[in-house]
Amino acid sequence: MKSQTIAPKRWWYIMPIVFITYSLAYLDRANFSFASAAGINDDLGITKGMSSLLGALFFLGYFFFQIPGAVYAERRSVKKLIFWCLILWGGCASLTGIVSNIPMLAAIRFVLGVVEAAVMPAMLIYISNWFTKSERSRANTFLILGNPVTVLWMSVVSGYLINSFGWREMFIIEGFPAVIWAIAWWFLVQDKPAQAKWMSDEEKAALQAQLQKEQENIKAVRNYSEAFRNRNVIILCLQYFAWSIGVYGFVLWLPSILRNGTQMGMVEAGWLSAVPYLVATIAMIVVSWASDKTQNRKLFVWPLLLIGALAFLGSYLVGSSNFWLSYALLVIAGGAMYAPYGPFFAIIPEMLPRNVSGGAMALINSMGALGSFIGSWIVGYLNGATGSPAASYIFMGAALLASVWLTLIVKPAENKSPPFPGAKPA
């Protein structure tokens, strides 16, 4: 039985669950960008410099708790971990709507980062337990599609909620779905295929045999310490750090950049903020399919990040005098930055054995969180200090150029042969 035909129902059963879970995580971290554009700073007396720090504090909490969460998910249970994370982050998100001072907001932003820290590595581990090498880029993409698709609809919905009620009500309303979904998660999810009642014994055996066969072609790594010293892991940590500077500088401050560009209302800013994520959604699906088809991961990462970097630098050169051309370049930058996520997160499980790959992905993701913290903080600071997004365009573009170079110097995985003539490993 070919790996591509093993239990096709896995896609229909698991992917909607994965997608919804990560979508809700992303909703409750990204809606702060709309509150920033809608008056939270004036209501709480937040300065521009403090606003950028508050927006970024989420990623500081996110940074510190990636690896502990991944270790728990790898050694114990993804199901239990995500269940409690859903309840806690939904609660924190809603509590953001009742804050009355800056220290309270800072504490909630940090704690929200802590309880969401385990989500990404745990879900990547979950996917690696259920999908084979030839499927993994597409499976990862359906997970990460929760990011741009959520921002796509959240941009519109949050704009309307703020316009109709206010930023406080937006936070409170958008925190409830995660708590409700926690109940559905508990009853729908099994950690491993062997626990699934909706798969036949033959399907379980075939899937397990395929996953085990793939592990035999990967060079053994004894422990996390050895994995974390791996040259490729170190390079990918630095690469994801630089890449995330561009992504989250963009995500967290796009509504504010747009409103400052034309003094538009929140509903208009919401609609315009949604367009880059529509482009990103389409690009991610196409790129992940092509990456799985060719089994070449790097080829579908660095060229797209280069396009994103050039689009940011183009926005800087165009300047604020030509808003619509600059906006078109931002749409290209957003789509290009998101497109490579699926192939990128397929690299590590194909280079490292299962006993350490989850921890390595958590380490890489934690460095991405640190890059996100720096990107969202500095972009917010530059926008406030200069009164223009021009300097932040240069900063984000330079970070993406660094990530391009770092992707290019990642070496192919050892002890692996191409799956078919002409294909190249990552």
Side-chain angles (χ1 to χ4, degrees):
M1 185 181 291
K2 294 182 180 179
S3 63
Q4 291 91 338
T5 62
I6 298 172
K9 67 185 78 172
R10 286 173 301 143
W11 291 95
W12 297 103
Y13 189 93
I14 293 173
M15 283 298 106
I17 295 171
V18 164
F19 176 81
I20 292 169
T21 305
Y22 194 62
S23 293
L24 293 173
Y26 212 80
L27 166 66
D28 290 333
R29 80 178 68 164
N31 55 9
F32 186 81
S33 63
F34 281 85
S36 297
I40 190 174
N41 297 344
D42 294 335
D43 292 349
L44 298 182
I46 301 170
T47 64
K48 289 183 177 179
M50 180 58 70
S51 177
S52 64
L53 178 59
L54 287 168
L57 265 177
F58 168 90
F59 299 106
L60 202 57
Y62 200 74
F63 167 72
F64 285 115
F65 288 86
Q66 288 277 314
I67 295 175
V71 171
Y72 182 92
E74 203 162 46
R75 295 181 178 176
R76 298 201 176 186
S77 172
V78 172
K79 177 178 177 175
K80 291 178 182 178
L81 179 66
I82 299 298
F83 172 75
W84 287 110
C85 286
L86 279 161
I87 293 173
L88 291 171
W89 91 57
C92 285
S94 289
L95 284 174
T96 311
I98 63 172
V99 297
S100 57
N101 55 61
I102 295 174
M104 188 184 297
L105 178 59
I108 288 177
R109 288 294 294 171
F110 180 81
V111 173
L112 183 64
V114 170
V115 296
E116 281 198 22
V119 177
M120 182 67 163
M123 298 303 278
L124 289 168
I125 291 167
Y126 182 62
I127 284 172
S128 69
N129 289 337
W130 286 86
F131 293 93
T132 65
K133 178 186 171 186
S134 64
E135 303 166 325
R136 209 161 283 143
S137 178
R138 282 168 291 159
N140 289 343
T141 292
F142 277 107
L143 164 67
I144 302 165
L145 271 176
N147 176 325
V149 171
T150 299
V151 182
L152 174 64
W153 64 261
M154 181 207 74
S155 298
V156 177
V157 171
S158 296
Y160 277 109
L161 285 174
I162 290 171
N163 192 58
S164 301
F165 304 106
W167 63 265
R168 290 185 181 277
E169 289 79 4
M170 177 201 72
F171 279 124
I172 292 169
I173 292 169
E174 292 184 350
F176 281 123
V179 179
I180 296 169
W181 179 247
I183 299 169
W185 167 273
W186 185 258
F187 288 103
L188 291 172
V189 169
Q190 300 86 27
D191 280 304
K192 301 287 177 64
Q195 301 165 343
K197 295 179 180 179
W198 45 270
M199 286 175 65
S200 68
D201 291 340
E202 292 78 9
E203 289 172 330
K204 293 176 187 178
L207 179 57
Q208 185 58 40
Q210 180 64 25
L211 292 170
Q212 187 59 42
K213 183 179 179 182
E214 291 171 3
Q215 290 292 302
E216 293 169 0
N217 295 325
I218 300 175
K219 183 180 178 181
V221 176
R222 288 172 297 178
N223 50 41
Y224 288 125
S225 177
E226 184 178 340
F228 292 171
R229 295 196 305 269
N230 180 283
R231 176 185 181 274
N232 281 343
V233 171
I234 293 170
I235 292 173
L236 289 172
C237 282
L238 296 173
Q239 190 270 9
Y240 200 48
F241 172 85
W243 181 0
S244 297
I245 286 175
V247 171
Y248 283 93
F250 178 86
V251 168
L252 205 59
W253 299 110
L254 181 61
S256 297
I257 289 172
L258 293 178
R259 288 201 77 191
N260 291 339
T262 62
Q263 299 302 313
M264 66 183 67
M266 279 307 305
V267 173
E268 291 83 359
W271 279 104
L272 286 180
S273 296
V275 175
Y277 303 102
L278 175 60
V279 174
T281 299
I282 297 168
M284 287 176 74
I285 294 170
V286 172
V287 166
S288 66
W289 175 85
S291 174
D292 274 349
K293 189 75 172 176
T294 64
Q295 290 294 292
N296 190 322
R297 307 307 186 190
K298 283 172 58 174
L299 183 62
F300 295 95
V301 176
W302 71 263
L304 289 153
L305 296 180
L306 179 60
I307 290 170
L310 295 176
F312 274 132
L313 297 176
S315 290
Y316 164 74
L317 294 173
V318 167
S320 58
S321 59
N322 194 331
F323 172 81
W324 290 108
L325 180 55
S326 178
Y327 171 70
L329 289 167
L330 289 179
V331 170
I332 293 170
M337 283 191 298
Y338 274 97
Y341 273 123
F344 178 80
F345 280 108
I347 292 174
I348 285 296
E350 295 172 8
M351 289 196 306
L352 294 175
R354 190 175 297 174
N355 66 309
V356 294
S357 62
M361 287 189 288
L363 178 66
I364 292 167
N365 207 43
S366 69
M367 290 304 296
L370 192 59
S372 302
F373 171 76
I374 291 172
S376 52
W377 183 11
I378 293 181
V379 168
Y381 173 80
L382 290 173
N383 290 345
T386 64
S388 162
S392 62
Y393 292 156
I394 296 176
F395 176 62
M396 290 187 283
L400 289 180
L401 286 175
S403 72
V404 169
W405 174 71
L406 288 163
T407 307
L408 287 169
I409 64 173
V410 172
K411 291 182 178 178
E414 297 179 35
N415 292 348
K416 294 171 69 179
S417 57
F420 53 83
K424 298 179 181 179

